[in-house]
Amino acid sequence: SARILKIIELPDGSTSVILRGMKRYVLNDVISNEPYLIGNVSYINDIIPPKEDKHLKAVTEAIKEAATYIAKGSPNIPPEATFALRNLESQEFLINYVASALEHEDATDDKLRLLDIDSLKERAYLLLEILYLLFLHYILHSSLTFFTFSIFLSFFQIHFQK
């Protein structure tokens, strides 16, 4: 299930909807396909560390910075998304929001790997690794300076100290 957070009318006439997933679940069986998919589900609880967890705070900040850099360089991401990203306070929502917004060649596989992790902290570490690789790809295909890269790399140092 999901809740609509914002509906954005884009200049090209299309509409973008920002949803917040309420809960992860497993589809146990399908009852009907018409008029839409109906089934029985079992909810999956996330393992959430205490809010004071310093490692999760650091990784979450690195995710926020990484996603902001990548979003700024992407022509497909509206400026409103980067503004929203910088202002997200909830670690859980930030991690899941960034994970759901991944758009690259292997995005579907990466999203499934992330969804399969019950621990929010472990999900954050994997997401940071994915963002790091995306950023390296972006660096190789853009004109970012080494200075920008070195600043960005500093955000990932916590990942290697895991």
Side-chain angles (χ1 to χ4, degrees):
S1 62
R3 182 174 54 173
I4 297 173
L5 295 179
K6 186 171 185 174
I7 299 173
I8 304 169
E9 299 294 331
L10 300 174
D12 67 358
S14 64
T15 303
S16 179
V17 180
I18 298 175
L19 302 171
R20 179 176 185 180
M22 304 305 285
K23 197 94 165 133
R24 292 182 310 136
Y25 60 87
V26 173
L27 179 64
N28 296 324
D29 55 36
V30 176
I31 296 170
S32 172
N33 286 323
E34 297 297 330
Y36 45 81
L37 186 63
I38 300 172
N40 290 319
V41 299
S42 297
Y43 290 105
I44 303 169
N45 293 318
D46 287 336
I47 300 167
I48 300 176
K51 289 188 180 205
E52 305 81 37
D53 187 306
K54 292 179 182 179
H55 286 281
L56 184 59
K57 282 183 182 180
V59 171
T60 302
E61 282 304 311
I63 288 169
K64 188 183 283 192
E65 291 297 322
T68 300
Y69 275 116
I70 292 168
K72 283 181 181 177
S74 173
N76 301 328
I77 300 174
E80 301 88 20
T82 36
F83 177 77
L85 185 62
R86 278 183 264 138
N87 291 294
L88 290 175
E89 296 296 324
S90 164
Q91 294 173 334
E92 184 179 7
F93 183 71
L94 174 77
I95 292 163
N96 292 330
Y97 174 75
V98 172
S100 70
L102 292 173
E103 291 297 329
H104 58 281
E105 188 175 321
D106 298 321
T108 302
D109 290 340
D110 286 340
K111 288 177 185 182
L112 290 172
R113 285 189 322 159
L114 289 162
L115 274 173
D116 200 34
I117 299 172
D118 293 339
S119 165
L120 184 66
K121 190 173 185 177
E122 293 303 314
R123 192 178 311 140
Y125 279 119
L126 178 58
L127 177 59
L128 187 58
E129 182 179 317
I130 292 166
L131 290 173
Y132 177 70
L133 294 173
L134 286 174
F135 188 77
L136 287 177
H137 178 78
Y138 179 67
I139 284 281
L140 294 173
H141 295 92
S142 74
S143 59
L144 288 177
T145 65
F146 179 76
F147 177 71
T148 304
F149 176 69
S150 63
I151 290 171
F152 185 79
L153 189 58
S154 69
F155 292 115
F156 290 101
Q157 289 178 350
I158 188 68
H159 174 68
F160 297 109
Q161 296 172 3
K162 179 178 165 186

